[in-house]
Amino acid sequence: MTRVRTVVGRAILPGEGEPQPVTLHIDEAGKITSVLPGNQAGSSSDVLWIPDDCVLLPGLVDCHVHLNEPGRTSWEGFQTGTLAAVSGGVTTLIDMPLNSIPPTTTVENLRIKREAAKRVGVSSDLGFWGGIIPGNEGDLVPLLKEGVKGFKCFLIESGVDEFPHVEEEHLERACDALEGTDALILFHAELGPHDHELVPGNDSQYSTFLESRPASLELSALELILRLARRYPSLRFHIVHLSTAEALPIIREARRTGVTNLTVETCFHYLILRAEDIPANATQFKCCPPIREEANRLAICDAVLDGTIDFVVSDHSPCVAELKRGDFMSAWGGISGLGLGLSLLWTDMGERAGLGRLVELLSTSQARQVKLEGVKGALQEGADADFVVFAPEATFEVTLTGLRFKNKVSPYIGRSLRGVIRQTYLRGERAWDAATGTCATDGRLL
């Protein structure tokens, strides 16, 4: 694959809300060597001219995906997952420590996962989260030294036996082991009785499932997380997939009173979908924590725009189609949408947020979170030449054949979206071309 050496067009630059005319120069290693105003291609013969109806964006980052390889490769895999990513402009993924077998809870398990990725090849760059489970506190610092970006844990059952949830005592031991490392600990933030799903009602109705995962589970978890954040100020703490707006005033007050080591993410589905619209047995909408009502959705959208929520991820959590059959109480909980995020947010929030703010949410902030700032997430000198050719006014319909992930079960099928990813480039080489449906496998492990 030939590397582009010069790019000319309108681009979203760091700190800018609107596209600016620029010229990017790229070296042989795939790094941006200069970002110049206007057309300064000079006599270069190898120029990528960005069409007038398109905008150049930095490659997107998605810090919350489940690629499930090895062990549950029938659910997803490194090849199909990273293909779906680059088709949606995502050039960097960070893979969760479950639902692969083995989970990423030891250095040996990390090695197994990396070897599997090398064997099949990846289209995007790929990093890994480690996991905290009962009794593995001695594995955490070694995992950190081997390059994991942080550690995920569950405060409630995870849904898979090999990744058990942790209690406060396990977390204290993990934090003691990590103290002084600036490690990042991620929480599936639901905490409550483990018989919470035993609720009366019609299991085919979404309201029954929603009642089984009340906001109180997230609020109880938040109380514990804030206790740890105050007790261990040298560590960083992060709430994944926040779904309840009831947590927002608590988070704002904690920050106001001195908690500076807490970040929060939410997901596309909490910003786009609402409980009132979910039909009976439409289990493609099931996830944990759940999609909530419209008033809650609007408050979560506001929190994204005002900065209470730091960034937005996919939480792409697929399974084989058979596990999505049945009713809401028995089906697998997870939503598939990898590759659709930019178009989803641009369609529903673009007018309020603007393209520059979406880049911050979907790229820059996430690169900063995993300490890739300056390398990923921005079109700037010294960064990798990862970029997306985005047509903001083009439209498309989400169809089964257009989905690039393995199991084509998604609540977004049939939706009309605005904003099309024409091409995706990784270190100046084309990783995805929508016109031909072709991709490369030149991604690297981070």
Side-chain angles (χ1 to χ4, degrees):
M1 183 75 68
T2 303
R3 177 169 284 119
V4 171
R5 302 303 294 272
T6 305
V7 186
V8 179
R10 296 183 306 132
I12 295 291
L13 299 179
E16 299 288 346
E18 298 296 327
Q20 309 293 320
V22 300
T23 300
L24 306 182
H25 292 292
I26 302 165
D27 68 14
E28 293 180 357
K31 294 283 188 180
I32 298 173
T33 57
S34 64
V35 181
L36 304 175
N39 177 2
Q40 299 193 41
S43 60
S44 176
S45 60
D46 181 17
V47 180
L48 175 65
W49 299 94
I50 304 303
D52 290 343
D53 64 344
C54 292
V55 178
L56 199 66
L57 309 179
L60 307 182
V61 181
D62 193 339
C63 285
H64 194 149
V65 296
H66 297 264
L67 299 183
N68 303 335
E69 188 170 357
R72 289 191 176 94
T73 311
S74 60
W75 294 21
E76 192 58 275
F78 292 124
Q79 281 186 322
T80 51
T82 59
L83 166 59
V86 295
S87 75
V90 179
T91 53
T92 303
L93 294 177
I94 312 296
D95 181 44
M96 282 291 168
L98 74 164
N99 300 303
S100 58
I101 303 174
T104 319
T105 51
T106 68
V107 169
E108 175 60 16
N109 291 356
L110 174 64
R111 185 194 65 78
I112 291 170
K113 182 171 279 194
R114 280 179 166 160
E115 287 302 316
K118 290 177 183 177
R119 187 165 56 250
V120 300
V122 292
S123 296
S124 70
D125 282 359
L126 178 63
F128 299 94
W129 297 111
I132 297 175
I133 59 174
N136 83 323
E137 60 270 8
D139 296 294
L140 303 181
V141 171
L143 276 165
L144 207 57
K145 290 179 178 178
E146 286 297 315
V148 299
K149 299 301 181 183
F151 302 95
K152 167 83 173 287
C153 68
F154 273 71
L155 301 179
I156 202 167
E157 70 276 1
S158 71
V160 293
D161 293 341
E162 67 276 3
F163 202 92
H165 76 278
V166 290
E167 304 286 353
E168 186 167 2
E169 62 185 285
H170 305 126
L171 288 167
E172 288 172 344
R173 289 200 288 268
C175 289
D176 287 341
L178 289 167
E179 197 161 17
T181 65
D182 189 37
L184 178 62
I185 301 176
L186 289 66
F187 295 85
H188 180 117
E190 291 180 285
L191 176 61
H194 295 287
D195 60 353
H196 61 90
E197 293 190 344
L198 300 177
V199 296
N202 184 342
D203 291 357
S204 69
Q205 297 299 312
Y206 185 74
S207 57
T208 303
F209 172 65
L210 185 57
E211 185 181 349
S212 77
R213 313 291 290 217
S216 60
L217 298 182
E218 293 188 74
L219 300 179
S220 295
L222 177 57
E223 182 181 345
L224 169 59
I225 294 163
L226 288 173
R227 206 158 54 237
L228 292 169
R230 292 184 174 103
R231 192 182 311 167
Y232 296 95
S234 69
L235 301 178
R236 296 178 293 143
F237 298 88
H238 179 72
I239 296 171
V240 302
H241 50 48
L242 182 74
S243 88
T244 179
E246 292 183 38
L248 298 172
I250 301 171
I251 292 166
R252 292 178 178 124
E253 178 62 15
R255 288 173 170 167
R256 189 189 69 81
T257 56
V259 175
T260 60
N261 56 340
L262 176 71
T263 51
V264 183
E265 71 185 45
T266 194
C267 304
F268 305 122
H269 37 276
Y270 303 128
L271 298 170
I272 306 297
L273 307 175
R274 57 186 201 168
E276 293 91 335
D277 298 331
I278 300 177
N281 286 331
T283 57
Q284 67 270 28
F285 290 86
K286 180 182 176 180
C287 60
C288 300
I291 295 161
R292 303 191 188 276
E293 300 87 351
E294 173 69 353
N296 185 91
R297 183 189 75 84
L298 293 173
I300 293 290
C301 289
D302 288 343
V304 166
L305 295 174
D306 71 20
T308 303
I309 293 173
D310 296 275
F311 51 79
V312 185
V313 298
S314 69
D315 186 14
H316 178 66
S317 185
C319 65
V320 292
E322 291 77 8
L323 292 179
K324 275 293 190 183
R325 293 177 184 146
D327 58 50
F328 282 110
M329 301 308 290
S330 61
W332 173 260
I335 284 183
S336 296
L338 186 53
L340 299 175
L342 174 58
S343 300
L344 286 167
L345 285 200
W346 181 240
T347 301
D348 275 44
M349 297 181 67
E351 289 187 6
R352 291 182 68 194
L355 202 48
R357 178 66 177 138
L358 293 190
V359 165
E360 176 72 26
L361 292 166
L362 301 180
S363 189
T364 313
S365 291
Q366 296 190 56
R368 186 182 307 120
Q369 178 83 336
V370 294
K371 297 191 174 182
L372 291 174
E373 188 175 19
V375 179
K376 304 290 187 183
L379 299 174
Q380 63 185 42
E381 184 177 336
D384 286 350
D386 301 350
F387 55 85
V388 180
V389 181
F390 181 62
E393 299 307 319
T395 60
F396 69 102
E397 181 179 329
V398 181
T399 63
L400 278 173
T401 56
L403 298 176
R404 302 295 168 175
F405 44 82
K406 183 171 288 185
N407 289 283
K408 303 182 190 307
V409 178
S410 175
Y412 304 120
I413 293 172
R415 293 181 78 94
S416 295
L417 300 182
R418 186 167 68 105
V420 172
I421 288 81
R422 299 292 191 200
Q423 294 178 324
T424 302
Y425 285 78
L426 186 62
R427 282 178 290 278
E429 296 185 349
R430 190 166 63 234
W432 167 255
D433 190 326
T436 61
T438 55
C439 76
T441 54
D442 295 321
R444 298 176 184 173
L445 302 187
L446 302 173

